[in-house]
Amino acid sequence: MKIEEVKSTSKAQRIASHSHVKGLGLDENGYAIQTAAGLVGQESAREAAGIIVELIKSKKMAGRAVLLAGPPGTGKTAIALAIAQELGTKVPFCPMVGSEVYSSEIKKTEVLMENFRRAIGLRIKETKEVYDGEVTELTPVETENPMGGYGKTVSHVIIGLKTSKGTKQLKLDPSIYESLQKEKVEVGDVIYIEANSGAVKRQGRSDSFATEFDLEAEEYVPLPKGDVHKKKEVIQDVTLHDLDIANARPQGGQDIMSMMGQLMKPKKTEITDKLRKEINKVVNKYIDQGIAELVPGVLFIDEVHMLDIECFTYLHRALESTIAPIVIFATNRGKCTIKGTDDIVAPHGMPLDLLDRIMIIRTLPYRSEEMAQILRIRSQTESIQIDDDSLQMLANIGTKSTLRYAVQLLTPGNIMAHINGKECIGKDEVEEMNQLFFDAKSSAKHLAQHEDKYMK
Ligand SMILES: Nc1ncnc2c1ncn2[C@@H]1O[C@H](COP(=O)(O)OP(=O)(O)OP(=O)(O)O)[C@@H](O)[C@H]1O
Ligand SMILES: [Mg+2]
């Protein structure tokens, strides 16, 4: 197992608090099942989200936008992540939070553009001439250094490759020897070498070498079938951002794909507008030739009210461009001032002209039974035991404050139960926690009552 091999640039999702969400939980007709796939209630929002998923899958949605709007803790982020689950891994889904655009190093629009391109996928089909097989021999042939001196250089490499059909010996260029070393190829490994670019890929250890008791985490693969030298259809799913990064610092190889193999850690400042234009040109050419297919994915911008007017204008324009993803916004704000303006008040803190082209999905506050169900799911995911009465009590607290506050009381409640020598959270613990911690509303009330005691 290689830990250092960092190839994909897709972002890790913020899970933890949403790890119980496995999908939208719809039946085959697209109706929401009350409790399914980790989601509870909120039926119409989930059904609407289901339609969005269908539209995305049938590629009818590119360049459009959806807004999830509703009070805090009503499952907007959860539903967006459920959409990602429904779309599967082949459709790119790039989550970000509005405030991510503020950085002292990178321009706001640059951050937006990067995330835009992370959300646009490209499926590239290529028939490649490859040599593949199990390595039976690996001998570098050295000669005297032609520049004089005492050193020796590798003039070529002799490599033997075995498949189920036969064995072939190849004489390869020294540059390939370097790639072989980089991939740490040894005799007994299954590899393939691309004939055009010379890129080497180690697929794993041949399974004839598998031993019963193996301590090393090694992947065993079967002996390749057919001839050593063959044409192979390679399908690769990349995002435009992957291409940007791969080409920002090209290292050997002429075509895009060979550069893909050498993705380095992203360094953000190096991608220029010019480079992106070039890449778009190549991508368009590939699409015209039928080599590649565009897969518009989803850009999810949570807490969209954190964006300012500049970002909104930029987004508006970017949505019009020919290669655009589907953008899903989420906000819990009602009418408020748009950031970056002095006095333009707008619904959800978004400019009206942008709002105008958006489809809005509402999320509604939960009833206490639904809260109890969600709390039960959460306590199961966190392996916390709680009895039914206490769960109902916590749900009632949730309806008065927010769902999130109630969910957050679970963990401290569990600790308290352990201190009290119990396995299971009871009414006492819930009550005690509710007294120890304040939810936002009671805290605000407290502040209003004791205004004089605080500094201004
Ligand atoms: N219908 C639901 N079923 C199961 N879990 C839910 C549901 N709705 C919300 N949750 C869970 O409740 C918690 C709060 O929900 P979430 O973070 O999605 O709210 P939100 O609408 O994004 O709130 P905010 O506006 O504050 O961002 C999360 O842990 C989420 O997974
Ligand atoms: Mg949220």
Side-chain angles (χ1 to χ4, degrees):
M1 192 176 68
K2 278 193 212 140
I3 295 168
E4 287 143 349
E5 195 178 9
V6 183
K7 285 232 170 113
S8 170
T9 53
S10 70
K11 289 192 193 170
Q13 292 182 0
R14 305 189 302 157
I15 33 163
S17 63
H18 302 286
S19 46
H20 60 284
V21 179
K22 301 277 181 274
L24 285 168
L26 306 176
D27 65 14
E28 63 273 18
N29 297 323
Y31 292 108
I33 303 164
Q34 209 270 342
T35 310
L39 284 182
V40 175
Q42 210 64 269
E43 282 89 352
S44 36
R46 280 160 61 197
E47 283 162 15
I51 293 175
I52 303 290
V53 169
E54 285 308 313
L55 288 174
I56 296 170
K57 280 193 177 156
S58 57
K59 308 217 170 114
K60 299 224 172 82
M61 259 307 273
R64 293 213 226 162
V66 177
L67 172 69
L68 287 160
T74 47
K76 298 180 292 296
T77 309
I79 289 177
L81 295 180
I83 293 180
Q85 304 262 11
E86 293 287 338
L87 287 173
T89 49
K90 296 282 182 239
V91 181
F93 183 92
C94 173
M96 70 176 282
V97 180
S99 48
E100 268 177 50
V101 298
Y102 303 104
S103 144
S104 54
E105 284 164 25
I106 313 163
K107 277 191 296 181
K108 288 177 274 193
T109 49
E110 177 61 32
V111 178
L112 282 175
M113 176 57 109
E114 184 188 312
N115 284 300
F116 241 75
R117 292 176 75 88
R118 277 178 198 274
I120 303 167
L122 198 65
R123 164 166 294 186
I124 306 170
K125 275 191 234 101
E126 267 185 311
T127 354
K128 282 188 175 162
E129 225 181 291
V130 297
Y131 296 95
D132 74 343
E134 178 193 317
V135 181
T136 52
E137 125 172 66
L138 187 66
T139 335
V141 178
E142 291 179 340
T143 55
E144 296 292 331
N145 194 334
M147 311 297 255
Y150 299 103
K152 285 192 171 174
T153 55
V154 177
S155 68
H156 60 268
V157 197
I158 304 285
I159 189 166
L161 289 176
K162 187 172 97 182
T163 63
S164 57
K165 230 178 173 183
T167 316
K168 200 170 193 148
Q169 208 178 40
L170 309 170
K171 188 176 160 188
L172 300 174
D173 196 68
S175 67
I176 296 181
Y177 185 55
E178 277 167 32
S179 349
L180 284 167
Q181 280 179 319
K182 238 188 230 158
E183 290 272 300
K184 300 205 177 66
V185 172
E186 288 170 23
V187 170
D189 291 346
V190 173
I191 63 167
Y192 76 80
I193 306 171
E194 258 173 48
N196 282 346
S197 60
V200 174
K201 180 93 185 79
R202 182 179 180 277
Q203 290 176 300
R205 194 108 181 113
S206 171
D207 59 6
S208 52
F209 287 79
T211 46
E212 212 173 317
F213 307 101
D214 206 340
L215 290 177
E216 260 177 281
E218 178 67 275
E219 200 176 326
Y220 291 99
V221 292
L223 195 67
K225 294 190 185 67
D227 289 318
V228 171
H229 183 194
K230 65 180 131 216
K231 288 212 162 64
K232 197 174 180 178
E233 176 147 296
V234 188
I235 295 180
Q236 204 160 348
D237 288 298
V238 296
T239 67
L240 290 187
H241 180 68
D242 292 339
L243 293 179
D244 291 347
I245 293 278
N247 293 286
R249 278 186 290 176
Q251 300 185 331
Q254 282 307 305
D255 60 293
I256 299 184
M257 291 317 298
S258 64
M259 293 176 197
M260 290 306 307
Q262 289 134 6
L263 286 187
M264 304 286 288
K265 241 187 149 17
K267 211 171 162 215
K268 294 185 170 151
T269 43
E270 287 187 6
I271 303 167
T272 57
D273 252 0
K274 191 163 161 249
L275 176 76
R276 287 197 172 117
K277 281 214 183 95
E278 287 299 312
I279 289 184
N280 283 357
K281 234 190 252 166
V282 178
V283 165
N284 279 328
K285 206 173 79 193
Y286 273 28
I287 293 170
D288 288 344
Q289 290 171 350
I291 302 171
E293 189 190 347
L294 209 59
V295 186
V298 176
L299 171 62
F300 171 48
I301 308 183
D302 209 351
E303 331 256 309
V304 65
H305 49 263
M306 290 306 296
L307 296 181
D308 64 8
I309 188 81
E310 253 176 77
C311 297
F312 283 127
T313 318
Y314 182 82
L315 271 179
H316 201 159
R317 206 198 61 188
L319 275 170
E320 310 267 86
S321 74
T322 46
I323 339 186
I326 297 102
V327 184
I328 299 182
F329 301 111
T331 181
N332 53 21
R333 295 298 151 96
K335 252 184 165 0
C336 63
T337 326
I338 300 170
K339 241 172 127 58
T341 66
D342 293 332
D343 55 356
I344 305 181
V345 177
H348 311 298
M350 291 172 83
L352 276 176
D353 51 352
L354 183 58
L355 264 182
D356 206 36
R357 51 178 299 156
I358 287 178
M359 299 201 281
I360 299 178
I361 300 177
R362 296 219 156 272
T363 55
L364 307 169
Y366 293 111
R367 285 174 291 123
S368 87
E369 305 89 82
E370 288 166 336
M371 286 245 182
Q373 278 172 310
I374 296 173
L375 282 164
R376 164 146 314 141
I377 295 176
R378 272 316 294 178
S379 64
Q380 278 160 1
T381 357
E382 293 180 40
S383 325
I384 292 173
Q385 291 181 26
I386 178 165
D387 61 45
D388 287 345
D389 289 347
S390 321
L391 201 69
Q392 197 49 55
M393 194 168 149
L394 207 54
N396 291 339
I397 294 174
T399 32
K400 281 189 211 106
S401 54
T402 63
L403 170 63
R404 191 172 284 127
Y405 173 69
V407 169
Q408 272 165 355
L409 286 185
L410 278 175
T411 320
N414 192 35
I415 294 171
M416 191 48 94
H418 280 293
I419 293 173
N420 296 344
K422 289 198 269 178
E423 285 289 301
C424 179
I425 302 178
K427 274 191 168 172
D428 300 346
E429 279 82 24
V430 174
E431 219 153 79
E432 194 168 349
M433 280 307 122
N434 198 25
Q435 272 159 19
L436 279 180
F437 297 102
F438 275 75
D439 66 286
K441 269 185 213 148
S442 36
S443 175
K445 211 162 113 200
H446 177 85
L447 283 185
Q449 276 166 4
H450 303 274
E451 213 182 345
D452 47 331
K453 295 213 180 78
Y454 289 90
M455 293 233 298
K456 284 259 160 63

mmCIF file of all heavy atoms in Angstrom, residues 410-446:
data_model
loop_
_atom_site.group_PDB
_atom_site.id
_atom_site.type_symbol
_atom_site.label_atom_id
_atom_site.label_comp_id
_atom_site.label_asym_id
_atom_site.label_seq_id
_atom_site.Cartn_x
_atom_site.Cartn_y
_atom_site.Cartn_z
ATOM 1 N N LEU A 410 -26.027 14.990 22.666
ATOM 2 C CA LEU A 410 -25.880 13.537 22.811
ATOM 3 C C LEU A 410 -24.531 13.135 23.399
ATOM 4 O O LEU A 410 -24.482 12.376 24.363
ATOM 5 C CB LEU A 410 -26.059 12.851 21.446
ATOM 6 C CG LEU A 410 -27.482 12.590 20.962
ATOM 7 C CD1 LEU A 410 -27.448 12.032 19.552
ATOM 8 C CD2 LEU A 410 -28.192 11.602 21.883
ATOM 9 N N THR A 411 -23.449 13.664 22.816
ATOM 10 C CA THR A 411 -22.122 13.230 23.255
ATOM 11 C C THR A 411 -21.836 13.611 24.710
ATOM 12 O O THR A 411 -21.464 12.747 25.499
ATOM 13 C CB THR A 411 -21.031 13.772 22.309
ATOM 14 O OG1 THR A 411 -21.524 13.667 20.983
ATOM 15 C CG2 THR A 411 -19.757 13.007 22.428
ATOM 16 N N PRO A 412 -22.011 14.903 25.094
ATOM 17 C CA PRO A 412 -21.794 15.211 26.513
ATOM 18 C C PRO A 412 -22.729 14.423 27.423
ATOM 19 O O PRO A 412 -22.316 14.004 28.506
ATOM 20 C CB PRO A 412 -22.064 16.715 26.608
ATOM 21 C CG PRO A 412 -22.546 17.164 25.306
ATOM 22 C CD PRO A 412 -22.303 16.106 24.312
ATOM 23 N N GLY A 413 -23.942 14.175 26.963
ATOM 24 C CA GLY A 413 -24.886 13.378 27.753
ATOM 25 C C GLY A 413 -24.340 11.980 28.010
ATOM 26 O O GLY A 413 -24.459 11.435 29.108
ATOM 27 N N ASN A 414 -23.707 11.433 26.969
ATOM 28 C CA ASN A 414 -23.128 10.104 27.080
ATOM 29 C C ASN A 414 -21.992 10.082 28.103
ATOM 30 O O ASN A 414 -21.888 9.172 28.927
ATOM 31 C CB ASN A 414 -22.614 9.675 25.705
ATOM 32 C CG ASN A 414 -22.261 8.213 25.648
ATOM 33 O OD1 ASN A 414 -22.917 7.403 26.296
ATOM 34 N ND2 ASN A 414 -21.227 7.882 24.904
ATOM 35 N N ILE A 415 -21.157 11.145 28.032
ATOM 36 C CA ILE A 415 -20.041 11.233 28.992
ATOM 37 C C ILE A 415 -20.602 11.305 30.414
ATOM 38 O O ILE A 415 -20.137 10.613 31.323
ATOM 39 C CB ILE A 415 -19.170 12.471 28.677
ATOM 40 C CG1 ILE A 415 -18.482 12.267 27.321
ATOM 41 C CG2 ILE A 415 -18.136 12.691 29.771
ATOM 42 C CD1 ILE A 415 -17.786 13.490 26.796
ATOM 43 N N MET A 416 -21.639 12.134 30.571
ATOM 44 C CA MET A 416 -22.250 12.298 31.883
ATOM 45 C C MET A 416 -22.813 10.973 32.390
ATOM 46 O O MET A 416 -22.642 10.624 33.562
ATOM 47 C CB MET A 416 -23.365 13.350 31.767
ATOM 48 C CG MET A 416 -23.934 13.835 33.077
ATOM 49 S SD MET A 416 -22.657 14.271 34.242
ATOM 50 C CE MET A 416 -22.488 15.988 33.983
ATOM 51 N N ALA A 417 -23.438 10.227 31.489
ATOM 52 C CA ALA A 417 -24.002 8.930 31.881
ATOM 53 C C ALA A 417 -22.896 8.004 32.381
ATOM 54 O O ALA A 417 -23.064 7.314 33.385
ATOM 55 C CB ALA A 417 -24.736 8.305 30.706
ATOM 56 N N HIS A 418 -21.746 8.022 31.690
ATOM 57 C CA HIS A 418 -20.634 7.167 32.110
ATOM 58 C C HIS A 418 -20.124 7.580 33.478
ATOM 59 O O HIS A 418 -19.804 6.726 34.312
ATOM 60 C CB HIS A 418 -19.507 7.217 31.077
ATOM 61 C CG HIS A 418 -19.782 6.340 29.901
ATOM 62 N ND1 HIS A 418 -19.816 4.975 30.001
ATOM 63 C CD2 HIS A 418 -20.062 6.635 28.611
ATOM 64 C CE1 HIS A 418 -20.099 4.454 28.814
ATOM 65 N NE2 HIS A 418 -20.260 5.454 27.943
ATOM 66 N N ILE A 419 -20.047 8.912 33.696
ATOM 67 C CA ILE A 419 -19.608 9.406 35.013
ATOM 68 C C ILE A 419 -20.555 8.895 36.094
ATOM 69 O O ILE A 419 -20.138 8.479 37.166
ATOM 70 C CB ILE A 419 -19.540 10.949 35.022
ATOM 71 C CG1 ILE A 419 -18.423 11.423 34.079
ATOM 72 C CG2 ILE A 419 -19.312 11.479 36.434
ATOM 73 C CD1 ILE A 419 -18.371 12.907 33.870
ATOM 74 N N ASN A 420 -21.850 8.925 35.756
ATOM 75 C CA ASN A 420 -22.840 8.450 36.718
ATOM 76 C C ASN A 420 -22.916 6.922 36.788
ATOM 77 O O ASN A 420 -23.790 6.365 37.455
ATOM 78 C CB ASN A 420 -24.229 9.004 36.367
ATOM 79 C CG ASN A 420 -24.268 10.512 36.489
ATOM 80 O OD1 ASN A 420 -23.381 11.110 37.095
ATOM 81 N ND2 ASN A 420 -25.279 11.138 35.903
ATOM 82 N N GLY A 421 -22.010 6.277 36.069
ATOM 83 C CA GLY A 421 -21.953 4.824 36.126
ATOM 84 C C GLY A 421 -23.077 4.135 35.381
ATOM 85 O O GLY A 421 -23.501 3.048 35.755
ATOM 86 N N LYS A 422 -23.604 4.798 34.311
ATOM 87 C CA LYS A 422 -24.702 4.184 33.553
ATOM 88 C C LYS A 422 -24.266 3.888 32.119
ATOM 89 O O LYS A 422 -23.392 4.539 31.567
ATOM 90 C CB LYS A 422 -25.919 5.120 33.534
ATOM 91 C CG LYS A 422 -26.612 5.218 34.886
ATOM 92 C CD LYS A 422 -28.002 5.762 34.712
ATOM 93 C CE LYS A 422 -28.022 7.256 34.840
ATOM 94 N NZ LYS A 422 -29.331 7.840 34.644
ATOM 95 N N GLU A 423 -24.887 2.915 31.514
ATOM 96 C CA GLU A 423 -24.596 2.563 30.133
ATOM 97 C C GLU A 423 -25.385 3.444 29.171
ATOM 98 O O GLU A 423 -25.020 3.651 28.033
ATOM 99 C CB GLU A 423 -25.013 1.112 29.876
ATOM 100 C CG GLU A 423 -24.080 0.075 30.465
ATOM 101 C CD GLU A 423 -22.763 0.019 29.715
ATOM 102 O OE1 GLU A 423 -22.805 -0.244 28.501
ATOM 103 O OE2 GLU A 423 -21.702 0.260 30.346
ATOM 104 N N CYS A 424 -26.476 3.954 29.665
ATOM 105 C CA CYS A 424 -27.509 4.492 28.803
ATOM 106 C C CYS A 424 -27.893 5.900 29.288
ATOM 107 O O CYS A 424 -27.986 6.126 30.504
ATOM 108 C CB CYS A 424 -28.693 3.519 28.917
ATOM 109 S SG CYS A 424 -30.113 3.962 27.988
ATOM 110 N N ILE A 425 -28.090 6.844 28.368
ATOM 111 C CA ILE A 425 -28.471 8.193 28.783
ATOM 112 C C ILE A 425 -29.907 8.176 29.312
ATOM 113 O O ILE A 425 -30.801 7.648 28.667
ATOM 114 C CB ILE A 425 -28.386 9.177 27.611
ATOM 115 C CG1 ILE A 425 -26.973 9.191 27.023
ATOM 116 C CG2 ILE A 425 -28.781 10.578 28.048
ATOM 117 C CD1 ILE A 425 -26.802 10.099 25.841
ATOM 118 N N GLY A 426 -30.121 8.767 30.477
ATOM 119 C CA GLY A 426 -31.464 8.827 31.045
ATOM 120 C C GLY A 426 -31.950 10.259 31.114
ATOM 121 O O GLY A 426 -31.272 11.186 30.661
ATOM 122 N N LYS A 427 -33.133 10.442 31.681
ATOM 123 C CA LYS A 427 -33.734 11.775 31.768
ATOM 124 C C LYS A 427 -32.850 12.749 32.553
ATOM 125 O O LYS A 427 -32.746 13.925 32.215
ATOM 126 C CB LYS A 427 -35.096 11.681 32.439
ATOM 127 C CG LYS A 427 -36.215 11.367 31.471
ATOM 128 C CD LYS A 427 -37.542 11.547 32.152
ATOM 129 C CE LYS A 427 -38.648 11.522 31.122
ATOM 130 N NZ LYS A 427 -39.967 11.504 31.722
ATOM 131 N N ASP A 428 -32.225 12.242 33.631
ATOM 132 C CA ASP A 428 -31.384 13.104 34.476
ATOM 133 C C ASP A 428 -30.290 13.771 33.662
ATOM 134 O O ASP A 428 -30.053 14.974 33.762
ATOM 135 C CB ASP A 428 -30.716 12.278 35.581
ATOM 136 C CG ASP A 428 -31.756 11.620 36.464
ATOM 137 O OD1 ASP A 428 -32.932 12.026 36.357
ATOM 138 O OD2 ASP A 428 -31.397 10.700 37.219
ATOM 139 N N GLU A 429 -29.628 12.920 32.840
ATOM 140 C CA GLU A 429 -28.502 13.442 32.068
ATOM 141 C C GLU A 429 -28.982 14.510 31.086
ATOM 142 O O GLU A 429 -28.353 15.551 30.933
ATOM 143 C CB GLU A 429 -27.806 12.318 31.302
ATOM 144 C CG GLU A 429 -26.846 11.500 32.123
ATOM 145 C CD GLU A 429 -27.540 10.426 32.929
ATOM 146 O OE1 GLU A 429 -28.658 10.008 32.525
ATOM 147 O OE2 GLU A 429 -26.993 10.001 33.950
ATOM 148 N N VAL A 430 -30.104 14.227 30.419
ATOM 149 C CA VAL A 430 -30.618 15.183 29.435
ATOM 150 C C VAL A 430 -30.912 16.519 30.127
ATOM 151 O O VAL A 430 -30.528 17.589 29.647
ATOM 152 C CB VAL A 430 -31.896 14.644 28.750
ATOM 153 C CG1 VAL A 430 -32.495 15.697 27.840
ATOM 154 C CG2 VAL A 430 -31.582 13.391 27.955
ATOM 155 N N GLU A 431 -31.546 16.415 31.282
ATOM 156 C CA GLU A 431 -31.900 17.639 32.006
ATOM 157 C C GLU A 431 -30.647 18.410 32.413
ATOM 158 O O GLU A 431 -30.543 19.615 32.241
ATOM 159 C CB GLU A 431 -32.691 17.265 33.253
ATOM 160 C CG GLU A 431 -33.836 18.217 33.541
ATOM 161 C CD GLU A 431 -34.919 17.483 34.306
ATOM 162 O OE1 GLU A 431 -34.727 17.311 35.517
ATOM 163 O OE2 GLU A 431 -35.903 17.053 33.680
ATOM 164 N N GLU A 432 -29.680 17.660 32.925
ATOM 165 C CA GLU A 432 -28.454 18.290 33.408
ATOM 166 C C GLU A 432 -27.714 18.974 32.266
ATOM 167 O O GLU A 432 -27.256 20.111 32.397
ATOM 168 C CB GLU A 432 -27.571 17.223 34.044
ATOM 169 C CG GLU A 432 -26.459 17.832 34.873
ATOM 170 C CD GLU A 432 -25.769 16.780 35.724
ATOM 171 O OE1 GLU A 432 -26.294 15.655 35.821
ATOM 172 O OE2 GLU A 432 -24.715 17.121 36.274
ATOM 173 N N MET A 433 -27.653 18.284 31.117
ATOM 174 C CA MET A 433 -26.968 18.854 29.965
ATOM 175 C C MET A 433 -27.661 20.131 29.503
ATOM 176 O O MET A 433 -27.019 21.122 29.187
ATOM 177 C CB MET A 433 -26.974 17.848 28.795
ATOM 178 C CG MET A 433 -25.948 16.790 28.899
ATOM 179 S SD MET A 433 -24.346 17.509 29.154
ATOM 180 C CE MET A 433 -23.910 16.721 30.671
ATOM 181 N N ASN A 434 -28.976 20.071 29.516
ATOM 182 C CA ASN A 434 -29.722 21.234 29.046
ATOM 183 C C ASN A 434 -29.507 22.426 29.976
ATOM 184 O O ASN A 434 -29.608 23.572 29.564
ATOM 185 C CB ASN A 434 -31.205 20.886 28.941
ATOM 186 C CG ASN A 434 -31.953 21.867 28.082
ATOM 187 O OD1 ASN A 434 -31.342 22.506 27.201
ATOM 188 N ND2 ASN A 434 -33.245 22.020 28.314
ATOM 189 N N GLN A 435 -29.200 22.125 31.251
ATOM 190 C CA GLN A 435 -28.921 23.234 32.161
ATOM 191 C C GLN A 435 -27.490 23.723 32.025
ATOM 192 O O GLN A 435 -27.209 24.906 32.163
ATOM 193 C CB GLN A 435 -29.182 22.789 33.599
ATOM 194 C CG GLN A 435 -30.635 23.014 33.989
ATOM 195 C CD GLN A 435 -31.036 22.143 35.153
ATOM 196 O OE1 GLN A 435 -30.178 21.643 35.881
ATOM 197 N NE2 GLN A 435 -32.320 21.961 35.326
ATOM 198 N N LEU A 436 -26.568 22.780 31.759
ATOM 199 C CA LEU A 436 -25.151 23.156 31.659
ATOM 200 C C LEU A 436 -24.874 23.969 30.409
ATOM 201 O O LEU A 436 -24.066 24.884 30.415
ATOM 202 C CB LEU A 436 -24.274 21.912 31.651
ATOM 203 C CG LEU A 436 -23.965 21.267 32.997
ATOM 204 C CD1 LEU A 436 -23.094 20.050 32.794
ATOM 205 C CD2 LEU A 436 -23.265 22.257 33.908
ATOM 206 N N PHE A 437 -25.521 23.588 29.305
ATOM 207 C CA PHE A 437 -25.265 24.285 28.052
ATOM 208 C C PHE A 437 -26.470 25.121 27.644
ATOM 209 O O PHE A 437 -27.603 24.776 27.923
ATOM 210 C CB PHE A 437 -24.952 23.282 26.939
ATOM 211 C CG PHE A 437 -23.713 22.485 27.200
ATOM 212 C CD1 PHE A 437 -23.786 21.189 27.659
ATOM 213 C CD2 PHE A 437 -22.464 23.051 27.007
ATOM 214 C CE1 PHE A 437 -22.641 20.460 27.920
ATOM 215 C CE2 PHE A 437 -21.309 22.334 27.255
ATOM 216 C CZ PHE A 437 -21.401 21.034 27.719
ATOM 217 N N PHE A 438 -26.149 26.214 26.969
ATOM 218 C CA PHE A 438 -27.210 27.095 26.494
ATOM 219 C C PHE A 438 -27.408 26.888 25.003
ATOM 220 O O PHE A 438 -26.441 26.744 24.281
ATOM 221 C CB PHE A 438 -26.787 28.550 26.701
ATOM 222 C CG PHE A 438 -27.085 29.061 28.073
ATOM 223 C CD1 PHE A 438 -26.311 28.670 29.154
ATOM 224 C CD2 PHE A 438 -28.127 29.939 28.284
ATOM 225 C CE1 PHE A 438 -26.575 29.146 30.421
ATOM 226 C CE2 PHE A 438 -28.396 30.420 29.550
ATOM 227 C CZ PHE A 438 -27.629 30.020 30.627
ATOM 228 N N ASP A 439 -28.633 26.876 24.551
ATOM 229 C CA ASP A 439 -28.819 26.969 23.110
ATOM 230 C C ASP A 439 -28.854 28.445 22.743
ATOM 231 O O ASP A 439 -28.883 29.303 23.626
ATOM 232 C CB ASP A 439 -30.109 26.249 22.681
ATOM 233 C CG ASP A 439 -31.336 26.912 23.219
ATOM 234 O OD1 ASP A 439 -31.597 26.774 24.430
ATOM 235 O OD2 ASP A 439 -32.029 27.578 22.439
ATOM 236 N N ALA A 440 -28.823 28.728 21.457
ATOM 237 C CA ALA A 440 -28.660 30.110 21.011
ATOM 238 C C ALA A 440 -29.772 30.998 21.550
ATOM 239 O O ALA A 440 -29.531 32.122 22.014
ATOM 240 C CB ALA A 440 -28.628 30.155 19.489
ATOM 241 N N LYS A 441 -31.009 30.479 21.535
ATOM 242 C CA LYS A 441 -32.138 31.334 21.929
ATOM 243 C C LYS A 441 -32.076 31.692 23.405
ATOM 244 O O LYS A 441 -32.225 32.851 23.782
ATOM 245 C CB LYS A 441 -33.449 30.610 21.618
ATOM 246 C CG LYS A 441 -33.971 30.928 20.246
ATOM 247 C CD LYS A 441 -35.328 30.281 20.022
ATOM 248 C CE LYS A 441 -35.477 29.901 18.563
ATOM 249 N NZ LYS A 441 -36.291 28.714 18.387
ATOM 250 N N SER A 442 -31.821 30.678 24.270
ATOM 251 C CA SER A 442 -31.810 31.010 25.690
ATOM 252 C C SER A 442 -30.599 31.857 26.045
ATOM 253 O O SER A 442 -30.649 32.674 26.959
ATOM 254 C CB SER A 442 -31.898 29.754 26.557
ATOM 255 O OG SER A 442 -31.212 28.703 25.998
ATOM 256 N N SER A 443 -29.500 31.658 25.287
ATOM 257 C CA SER A 443 -28.339 32.496 25.526
ATOM 258 C C SER A 443 -28.660 33.953 25.200
ATOM 259 O O SER A 443 -28.297 34.865 25.935
ATOM 260 C CB SER A 443 -27.168 31.994 24.702
ATOM 261 O OG SER A 443 -26.082 32.863 24.831
ATOM 262 N N ALA A 444 -29.362 34.145 24.090
ATOM 263 C CA ALA A 444 -29.721 35.502 23.691
ATOM 264 C C ALA A 444 -30.656 36.128 24.721
ATOM 265 O O ALA A 444 -30.543 37.323 25.053
ATOM 266 C CB ALA A 444 -30.396 35.473 22.321
ATOM 267 N N LYS A 445 -31.554 35.298 25.243
ATOM 268 C CA LYS A 445 -32.488 35.796 26.252
ATOM 269 C C LYS A 445 -31.728 36.218 27.509
ATOM 270 O O LYS A 445 -31.958 37.277 28.081
ATOM 271 C CB LYS A 445 -33.494 34.683 26.595
ATOM 272 C CG LYS A 445 -34.853 35.193 26.995
ATOM 273 C CD LYS A 445 -35.883 34.081 26.896
ATOM 274 C CE LYS A 445 -36.390 33.729 28.277
ATOM 275 N NZ LYS A 445 -37.012 32.408 28.337
ATOM 276 N N HIS A 446 -30.781 35.394 27.888
ATOM 277 C CA HIS A 446 -29.956 35.674 29.056
ATOM 278 C C HIS A 446 -29.215 36.994 28.877
ATOM 279 O O HIS A 446 -29.173 37.833 29.774
ATOM 280 C CB HIS A 446 -28.964 34.528 29.234
ATOM 281 C CG HIS A 446 -27.993 34.721 30.360
ATOM 282 N ND1 HIS A 446 -28.282 34.389 31.652
ATOM 283 C CD2 HIS A 446 -26.745 35.239 30.382
ATOM 284 C CE1 HIS A 446 -27.254 34.677 32.419
ATOM 285 N NE2 HIS A 446 -26.306 35.191 31.673
#
